[in-house]
Amino acid sequence: MHQAKRSLISLDGIQMEINKFLYPSLVLIGIIFLRFLFDIINQIEIHFDEAQYWVWSQNLSLSYLSKGPLVPTSIAISNLVFGKSYLGLKFFSYAAYLGTVLMLSMSASKLSGKKESFNNTLILAGLSPALFILGGVASTDIFLFFFWSLTIFCYICFFKDRNEKWFYIIGISTGLGILAKLTMILLPLSILLYFLTSDLRKYFFNIHIYLSAIIAIFISSPIIIWNAQNNWVTFFHEIDHLISKTPTLNPEILLATLVLTAPSFLLLFNHSIRKKFLSQKFNYLIYPTLMMIVFFVIKSFTGKIQVNWSIPIFLVLIPILVSISNDFKKRAVFLSILILGPILLLSNNKISSLILDYDPLHPSRGWDDTYRDLFQDQEYDYLAAENYKLLSTAAYFHGDAKKLFLTKESNRRLTHYDLWKKDLKSSDKILYISQSSNVILSNTLNCMKIREVTNYHRKHLTLYNCTSK
């Protein structure tokens, strides 16, 4: 009798453990399936930034002009495993997407001390329009989001436990995040500034915080080494974003980014939720976030900001809002669907064409047909263009990341292609791609038009047969 009871208890325990992991697993599988389905239904091919990172992945380097080596290296690895395919390009991006959702969910659970916060955040983070869209793009953003979310989780754990071991994981996460995108520097810097204004300043006398900083610098050292060899071009590139002759003057874009990242933020119009959100228990998370918001507001007046650049600073709001109360889950999910739903609908060209005169996702589809019609079976020694977007996408669909060069006949910004030295011969056959509206005014090329394609909006391209002068 007692043996039978013990067996039943054991079976119940096993069943509880299975149920504990079954729900999160199903949610994560569902998120990935929906994101994959989004690309299939909407015939998403490749964004020109993804094409550029693929080209870099076939020309590995310690670093690159505008980004670190993490994304190209990850694409190179997935290419070795899956070949030049959808997964070969996006495998690690999806992994980073899932990792971001998991880290935010673990942060919410740590903040509230309740297991249900973990499950609720899985859904809300998965339904974040910014995370959902960028989670399936092989770019620096989703990798930055993952390491940013990991750093937030470690920071929360440190604040709760006051265990200095978390400094070391933060150092590792910061270093890897910098290898994806230099924006990662903002998070630890804003946290350190908060330390100076609170009783946490005592940790500046703790050796662990300095050792963790050394770890971060060591991990991100490939960027420093490469720049030392290349006249510090990355830092001049970033300075142009901070101080520009033509600043974007668009601080209002931060509000749009906030809503796209955490739609549940709109629930702060509710007095009781707002009161809990502004309580002192979250100061160590909210104040660093406010510092970064101020930074981006100033940057919009002195330099440039885009929607995706400020997304990471708002990620922390997702676990904070979930940890405040589990009662607002239905309203939060409704807001996420309210924001994400129209985006998903308008992403379908058949639906968007009924409302808009242009394709809102034109940078991500139509490339394959365009280049097939444009190039046909033309032979060449080099592919050339003055637009890095055209050169990158042409290189990807041709599967050629070596025989490329970017001409520079205007005052456009420097790109990584400009750092590649090409020794052209007069006998080299160069296929030059250009927007049909642009006339080639080159001092280095003699060109003759071959053909023009006008299959898709904003993909009216002309192909030229050129030789160097």
Side-chain angles (χ1 to χ4, degrees), residues 209-441:
I209 200 168
Y210 297 102
L211 290 176
S212 67
I214 291 172
I215 290 172
I217 293 170
F218 175 76
I219 291 174
S220 58
S221 61
I223 296 176
I224 300 173
I225 295 170
W226 184 86
N227 272 275
Q229 298 170 342
N230 290 274
N231 300 316
W232 306 100
V233 289
T234 300
F235 299 99
F236 289 113
H237 181 273
E238 292 302 314
I239 288 172
D240 187 49
H241 285 158
L242 290 172
I243 305 172
S244 175
K245 294 179 180 179
T246 56
T248 50
L249 304 174
N250 58 341
E252 70 282 354
I253 204 171
L254 293 172
L255 181 59
T257 304
L258 170 58
V259 175
L260 288 172
T261 306
S264 52
F265 176 79
L266 294 171
L267 291 173
L268 289 181
F269 285 105
N270 181 291
H271 175 73
S272 62
I273 293 176
R274 185 169 65 252
K275 185 177 180 181
K276 293 177 182 178
F277 178 82
L278 296 175
S279 65
Q280 290 187 352
K281 65 183 291 189
F282 297 122
N283 281 354
Y284 70 102
L285 295 170
I286 292 175
Y287 281 128
T289 301
L290 289 175
M291 292 178 196
M292 289 183 281
I293 290 174
V294 170
F295 169 79
F296 274 102
V297 168
I298 295 173
K299 190 170 183 251
S300 71
F301 288 105
T302 62
K304 301 175 182 179
I305 61 170
Q306 294 178 2
V307 173
N308 60 312
W309 293 1
S310 57
I311 287 172
I313 68 176
F314 299 119
L315 291 176
V316 71
L317 299 181
I318 298 174
I320 292 177
L321 289 167
V322 172
S323 68
I324 286 173
S325 172
N326 290 310
D327 298 334
F328 80 138
K329 174 185 171 183
K330 290 182 180 178
R331 287 178 288 170
V333 169
F334 171 76
L335 285 172
S336 295
I337 294 174
L338 186 67
I339 303 297
L340 183 59
I343 295 174
L344 296 181
L345 289 175
L346 289 175
S347 296
N348 188 283
N349 198 29
K350 292 181 180 178
I351 295 175
S352 64
S353 63
L354 300 175
I355 307 170
L356 305 171
D357 294 330
Y358 65 94
D359 178 7
L361 288 188
H362 70 87
S364 300
R365 58 185 165 212
W367 293 112
D368 195 10
D369 289 344
T370 296
Y371 285 120
R372 188 183 298 114
D373 291 348
L374 186 68
F375 284 97
Q376 297 181 18
D377 295 321
Q378 294 287 151
E379 295 181 354
Y380 63 91
D381 295 306
Y382 287 98
L383 290 178
E386 191 185 14
N387 184 315
Y388 85 92
K389 301 173 184 178
L390 294 181
L391 186 61
S392 299
T393 49
Y396 181 83
F397 284 101
H398 264 58
D400 183 355
K402 303 293 183 182
K403 297 182 290 185
L404 312 171
F405 79 91
L406 198 68
T407 63
K408 196 172 191 305
E409 307 295 341
S410 65
N411 293 323
R412 63 166 175 78
R413 295 186 69 197
L414 195 71
T415 76
H416 192 75
Y417 291 109
D418 294 312
L419 305 181
W420 292 356
K421 306 300 181 184
K422 296 295 181 184
D423 184 20
L424 298 178
K425 305 182 185 68
S426 58
S427 59
D428 287 333
K429 183 176 182 180
I430 302 167
L431 291 184
Y432 187 97
I433 317 151
S434 175
Q435 298 284 355
S436 297
S437 57
N438 295 341
V439 178
I440 298 181
L441 299 173

Side-chain angles (χ1 to χ4, degrees), residues 62-320:
L62 282 176
S63 190
Y64 302 86
L65 183 143
S66 57
K67 303 293 187 296
L70 184 73
V71 176
T73 302
S74 68
I75 293 175
I77 294 171
S78 57
N79 261 245
L80 286 175
V81 178
F82 301 106
K84 184 174 169 291
S85 62
Y86 185 88
L87 282 180
L89 182 68
K90 298 174 182 283
F91 177 81
F92 285 106
S93 298
Y94 275 114
Y97 177 27
L98 289 182
T100 302
V101 172
L102 282 171
M103 286 299 110
L104 293 176
S105 301
M106 291 168 65
S107 297
S109 182
K110 188 70 176 178
L111 281 173
S112 68
K114 298 176 182 178
K115 293 181 179 179
E116 55 264 36
S117 294
F118 179 88
N119 292 336
N120 290 339
T121 310
L122 282 177
I123 296 174
L124 289 180
L127 289 176
S128 165
L131 291 182
F132 184 86
I133 298 300
L134 292 176
V137 180
S139 74
T140 56
D141 290 312
I142 194 59
F143 289 88
L144 173 65
F145 299 164
F146 169 67
F147 291 112
W148 193 285
S149 301
L150 174 57
T151 302
I152 288 172
F153 172 69
C154 294
Y155 176 43
I156 292 171
C157 289
F158 159 74
F159 193 86
K160 294 282 188 179
D161 307 335
R162 300 304 167 100
N163 189 331
E164 290 91 347
K165 72 178 183 182
W166 293 108
F167 286 149
Y168 294 103
I169 306 177
I170 288 174
I172 295 170
S173 178
T174 298
L176 292 172
I178 291 171
L179 289 180
K181 201 169 185 177
L182 293 182
T183 308
M184 184 72 207
I185 298 171
L186 292 178
L187 180 56
L189 284 181
S190 63
I191 290 173
L192 290 175
L193 286 174
Y194 173 74
F195 273 31
L196 285 173
T197 63
S198 68
D199 61 356
L200 294 172
R201 68 175 66 89
K202 64 184 179 183
Y203 284 98
F204 279 99
F205 300 98
N206 188 311
I207 191 172
H208 299 291
I209 200 168
Y210 297 102
L211 290 176
S212 67
I214 291 172
I215 290 172
I217 293 170
F218 175 76
I219 291 174
S220 58
S221 61
I223 296 176
I224 300 173
I225 295 170
W226 184 86
N227 272 275
Q229 298 170 342
N230 290 274
N231 300 316
W232 306 100
V233 289
T234 300
F235 299 99
F236 289 113
H237 181 273
E238 292 302 314
I239 288 172
D240 187 49
H241 285 158
L242 290 172
I243 305 172
S244 175
K245 294 179 180 179
T246 56
T248 50
L249 304 174
N250 58 341
E252 70 282 354
I253 204 171
L254 293 172
L255 181 59
T257 304
L258 170 58
V259 175
L260 288 172
T261 306
S264 52
F265 176 79
L266 294 171
L267 291 173
L268 289 181
F269 285 105
N270 181 291
H271 175 73
S272 62
I273 293 176
R274 185 169 65 252
K275 185 177 180 181
K276 293 177 182 178
F277 178 82
L278 296 175
S279 65
Q280 290 187 352
K281 65 183 291 189
F282 297 122
N283 281 354
Y284 70 102
L285 295 170
I286 292 175
Y287 281 128
T289 301
L290 289 175
M291 292 178 196
M292 289 183 281
I293 290 174
V294 170
F295 169 79
F296 274 102
V297 168
I298 295 173
K299 190 170 183 251
S300 71
F301 288 105
T302 62
K304 301 175 182 179
I305 61 170
Q306 294 178 2
V307 173
N308 60 312
W309 293 1
S310 57
I311 287 172
I313 68 176
F314 299 119
L315 291 176
V316 71
L317 299 181
I318 298 174
I320 292 177

